[in-house]
């Protein structure tokens, strides 16, 4: 009797976190469901555990201690061979500082002058030297994509973030799909066909069809008023393959996020964002949420540019339709500040009731573009902007007051000359003289943006 009791006490106990010898374990397909779970509460299970059942955790890893570390896409090995550089076509922008609506024309400049070229500032302020390699700064926001169940590690104890992303994301989606007919191409087509963005994919010359990065010009964001009907009602759209389909305003909102979740096999795609000169206001409130994930913020801004931004909003008088936008969106638009964005996936534990539950999360990170011309967005540039567009100043400077007085004096002089006209011929002659005088003093008209050969789309980052 005592011998039987000792045998019963020596029988192994099974628990949810017990480590089971891999040699005695028969593995099955992850989602086959053909191997039933053992009943750990039955008496037969306590007396004789069945080694053929699939374990919840293997002996090499567990939910408490697994050899997984979040891997950054920066660790991906790049081809060592030098990549040829192609010449970049020239592109001209409307003007150095983006005018608001209503607008007065100011001196035009090229994109290279506005972003990477020589500044027109006669006395540029001393600039802080940039590091040779600028690091990404993580946004304080992250998305939980899914909870990682134990079965994901059953057949591969060393499962990493790349393998799990390859498992859960279809090749036509880089998010958990809620409708397989609405894939990556569907959402990209929405933003492009509605004239909301212009996007250019830059491919790796050494790997066929591998996208290295995308350059995105933001043109506008449709509001409910722009949509012109109830948000659930559909409109027709033609996809990139020529297929006709329908989308609604909710699809349009999703497109702003899902378009920029696009990835290659190494999860290394970055996006170069730039706000177009003719970007329109107001923006919808939900776009603040997009900006919080994908837009520029103060964490990557140099100190002198932060001072310039404060100086601008202290002295500028902007319409309410513009002021409802994020401040760095407005400043990046008016002073041509681009930024680089990237998404990163990590495996991160979430502790609930003292039990760590692993989740796949998506983090957002941005960095400053090292080729940005600081002279076009520093305090001196703010002074030039407010001087050239006094209608947006809270108070006029002495120079602006003098210009205003000169204009009023000329106006009175012209009105006096018109009052002296006694015939239609004298009146027409005076108008002709005024027209000739005006044409000789007006600066050349800006370049038409319809002729768009933007070298922003071809420069290397």
């Amino acid at each position: 009797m005592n011998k039987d009791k000792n045998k019963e006490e020596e029988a192994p106990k099974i628990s949810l976190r017990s480590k089971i010898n891999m040699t005695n374990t028969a593995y099955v397909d992850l989602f086959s469901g053909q191997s039933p779970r053992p009943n750990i509460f039955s008496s037969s299970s306590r007396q004789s555990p069945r080694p053929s059942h699939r374990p919840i955790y293997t002996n090499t890893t567990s939910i408490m201690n697994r050899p997984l570390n979040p891997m950054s896409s920066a660790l991906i090995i790049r081809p060592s061979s030098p990549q040829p550089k192609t010449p970049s076509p020239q592109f001209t922008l409307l003007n150095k500082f983006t005018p608001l609506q209503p607008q007065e024309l100011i001196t035009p400049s090229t994109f290279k002058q506005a972003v990477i070229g020589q500044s027109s500032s006669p006395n540029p302020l001393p600039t802080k030297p940039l590091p040779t390699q600028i690091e990404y700064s993580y946004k304080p926001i992250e998305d939980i994509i899914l909870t990682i169940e134990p079965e994901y590690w059953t057949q591969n104890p060393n499962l990493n973030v790349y393998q799990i992303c390859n498992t859960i994301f279809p090749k036509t989606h880089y998010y958990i799909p809620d409708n397989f007919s609405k894939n990556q191409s569907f959402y990209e087509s929405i933003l492009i066909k509605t004239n909301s963005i212009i996007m250019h994919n830059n491919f790796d010359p050494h790997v066929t069809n591998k996208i290295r990065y995308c350059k995105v010009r933001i043109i506008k964001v449709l509001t409910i008023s722009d949509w012109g009907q109830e948000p659930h009602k559909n409109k027709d759209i033609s996809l990139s393959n020529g297929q006709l389909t329908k989308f609604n305003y909710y699809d349009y909102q999703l497109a702003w996020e899902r378009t920029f979740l696009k990835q290659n096999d190494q999860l290394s795609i970055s996006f170069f964002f730039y706000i177009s000169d003719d970007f329109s206001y107001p923006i919808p409130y939900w776009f603040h949420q997009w900006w919080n994930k994908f837009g520029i913020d103060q964490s990557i801004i140099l100190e002198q540019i932060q001072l310039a931004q404060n100086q601008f909003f202290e002295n500028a008088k902007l319409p309410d339709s513009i002021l409802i936008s994020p401040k760095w969106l407005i400043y990046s638009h008016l002073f041509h500040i681009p930024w680089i964005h990237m998404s990163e996936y990590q495996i991160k534990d979430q502790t609930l009731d003292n039990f760590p539950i692993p989740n796949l999360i998506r983090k957002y990170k941005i960095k400053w573009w090292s080729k940005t011309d600081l002279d076009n967005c520093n305090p001196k540039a703010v002074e030039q902007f407010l001087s050239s567009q006094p209608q947006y100043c809270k108070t006029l400077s002495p120079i602006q007051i003098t210009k205003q007085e000169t204009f009023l004096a000329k106006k009175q002089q012209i009105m006096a000359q018109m009052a002296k006209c006694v015939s239609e011929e004298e009146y027409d002659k005076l108008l002709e003289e005024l027209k000739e005088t005006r044409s000789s003093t007006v600066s050349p008209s800006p370049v038409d943006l319809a002729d768009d050969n933007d070298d922003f789309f071809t420069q290397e980052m």
Side-chain angles (χ1 to χ4, degrees):
M1 186 67 178
N2 293 333
K3 293 182 179 180
D4 295 336
K5 185 177 180 179
N6 293 336
K7 289 181 180 180
E8 184 177 356
E9 290 177 352
E10 294 174 358
K13 296 181 181 180
I14 298 178
S15 70
L16 288 176
R17 302 189 188 183
S18 63
K19 298 182 179 181
I20 302 175
N21 194 320
M22 293 182 63
T23 58
N24 297 326
T25 302
Y27 289 103
V28 296
D29 192 301
L30 178 59
F31 301 108
S32 65
Q34 297 180 1
S35 178
R37 297 177 182 270
N39 184 354
I40 63 174
F41 300 103
S42 66
S43 59
S44 60
S45 296
R46 288 194 298 268
Q47 294 175 359
S48 179
R50 298 168 59 185
S52 61
H53 288 306
R54 170 167 51 91
I56 293 182
Y57 306 111
T58 67
N59 66 340
T60 58
T61 185
S62 72
I63 199 169
M64 304 295 293
N65 182 23
R66 59 181 182 275
L68 293 173
N69 291 315
M71 297 178 63
S72 169
S73 56
L75 300 177
I76 300 170
I77 299 176
R78 303 286 186 180
S80 57
S81 58
Q83 300 178 0
K85 293 187 177 180
T86 56
S88 302
Q90 299 299 316
F91 169 72
T92 54
L93 285 176
L94 181 59
N95 36 253
K96 181 178 178 181
F97 304 108
T98 302
L100 303 174
Q101 297 82 19
Q103 60 186 356
E104 294 182 3
L105 302 179
I106 59 178
T107 306
S109 65
T110 64
F111 178 85
K112 181 171 286 187
Q113 290 172 333
V115 179
I116 64 170
Q118 298 295 326
S119 170
S120 59
S121 238
N123 298 312
L125 295 178
T127 59
K128 179 180 178 181
L130 290 172
T132 55
Q133 184 174 2
I134 300 177
E135 299 295 332
Y136 278 99
S137 174
Y138 285 94
K139 292 267 191 170
I141 188 172
E142 62 186 30
D143 295 335
I144 296 179
I145 302 174
L146 87 165
T147 300
I148 304 174
E149 298 297 335
E151 287 84 353
Y152 282 98
W153 278 292
T154 299
Q155 294 195 28
N156 186 0
N158 298 310
L159 182 71
N160 61 41
V161 68
Y162 302 104
Q163 293 166 324
I164 195 169
C165 286
N166 186 60
T167 299
I168 67 171
F169 294 145
K171 288 298 183 182
T172 53
H173 304 70
Y174 298 92
Y175 45 86
I176 304 296
D178 43 30
N179 186 334
F180 276 90
S181 65
K182 298 179 179 180
N183 56 19
Q184 197 76 34
S185 177
F186 170 79
Y187 289 112
E188 285 186 26
S189 296
I190 288 177
L191 295 187
I192 293 172
K193 299 292 184 178
T194 57
N195 230 7
S196 298
I197 67 168
I198 299 173
M199 185 161 68
H200 174 80
N201 297 324
N202 185 289
F203 291 89
D204 191 326
H206 303 284
V207 183
T208 305
N209 296 329
K210 178 189 174 183
I211 299 177
R212 293 192 301 166
Y213 59 87
C214 303
K215 296 182 178 180
V216 181
R217 180 190 292 276
I218 301 174
I219 301 174
K220 64 181 177 182
V221 187
L222 297 180
T223 63
I224 293 288
S225 299
D226 297 328
W227 185 253
Q229 60 186 19
E230 289 83 353
H232 64 272
K233 290 189 176 179
N234 290 327
K235 292 185 178 183
D236 294 329
I237 189 172
S238 175
L239 302 181
S240 56
N241 59 5
Q243 178 184 357
L244 290 176
T245 187
K246 296 181 181 295
F247 75 106
N248 55 42
Y249 189 72
Y250 302 121
D251 292 323
Y252 178 79
Q253 292 185 46
L254 282 174
W256 271 100
E257 178 162 340
R258 293 184 172 180
T259 295
F260 307 116
L261 298 180
K262 175 163 60 176
Q263 288 292 350
N264 53 29
D265 290 340
Q266 289 76 34
L267 307 181
S268 62
I269 290 182
S270 60
F271 291 87
F272 180 93
F273 284 109
Y274 181 80
I275 303 177
S276 176
D277 268 11
D278 53 354
F279 180 78
S280 59
Y281 299 90
I283 64 170
Y285 287 167
W286 58 260
F287 196 70
H288 284 256
Q289 299 170 334
W290 182 91
W291 186 264
N292 191 35
K293 290 183 179 180
F294 297 88
I296 197 171
D297 64 30
Q298 193 159 308
S299 64
I300 65 169
I301 305 297
L302 302 180
E303 183 178 357
Q304 64 166 313
I305 309 304
Q306 295 182 32
L307 295 175
Q309 192 246 41
N310 293 333
Q311 173 189 341
F312 174 76
F313 284 102
E314 287 175 0
N315 296 281
K317 180 180 64 177
L318 303 176
D320 291 340
S321 60
I322 296 176
L323 286 176
I324 64 172
S325 304
K327 284 189 173 182
W328 279 113
L329 183 153
I330 299 172
Y331 197 80
S332 299
H333 167 217
L334 299 180
F335 295 92
H336 296 161
I337 301 179
W339 70 98
I340 301 172
H341 165 87
M342 194 173 187
S343 297
E344 183 177 293
Y345 295 90
Q346 297 180 5
I347 299 175
K348 182 178 179 180
D349 283 345
Q350 179 185 23
T351 302
L352 298 175
D353 295 331
N354 296 323
F355 189 82
I357 299 176
N359 294 310
L360 178 67
I361 65 169
R362 181 188 295 115
K363 296 185 70 69
Y364 302 90
K365 55 186 183 179
I366 55 174
K367 72 176 179 178
W368 181 268
W369 191 38
S370 60
K371 296 182 182 179
T372 302
D373 188 353
L374 303 182
D375 292 334
N376 289 321
C377 52
N378 63 14
K380 188 68 175 179
V382 172
E383 293 179 6
Q384 294 176 357
F385 178 90
L386 296 176
S387 175
S388 63
Q389 301 198 54
Q391 69 273 25
Y392 299 115
C393 294
K394 289 181 180 178
T395 57
L396 296 178
S397 66
I399 296 177
Q400 293 168 340
I401 293 175
T402 302
K403 288 182 178 179
Q404 184 72 7
E405 291 175 346
T406 303
F407 166 73
L408 293 175
K410 287 183 178 179
K411 179 181 177 182
Q412 290 179 353
Q413 182 181 4
I414 292 171
M415 292 177 67
Q417 291 176 344
M418 287 184 174
K420 293 179 180 180
C421 296
V422 295
S423 65
E424 186 175 349
E425 288 78 8
E426 291 181 358
Y427 181 78
D428 291 340
K429 183 179 179 181
L430 177 62
L431 290 180
E432 189 66 27
E433 291 176 355
L434 292 173
K435 184 178 179 181
E436 291 177 359
T437 303
R438 180 67 178 168
S439 62
S440 63
T441 58
V442 174
S443 59
S445 59
V447 177
D448 187 358
L449 285 181
D451 183 20
D452 193 347
N453 60 342
D454 190 357
D455 66 342
F456 144 75
F457 283 138
T458 55
Q459 294 174 11
E460 294 290 334
M461 287 190 295

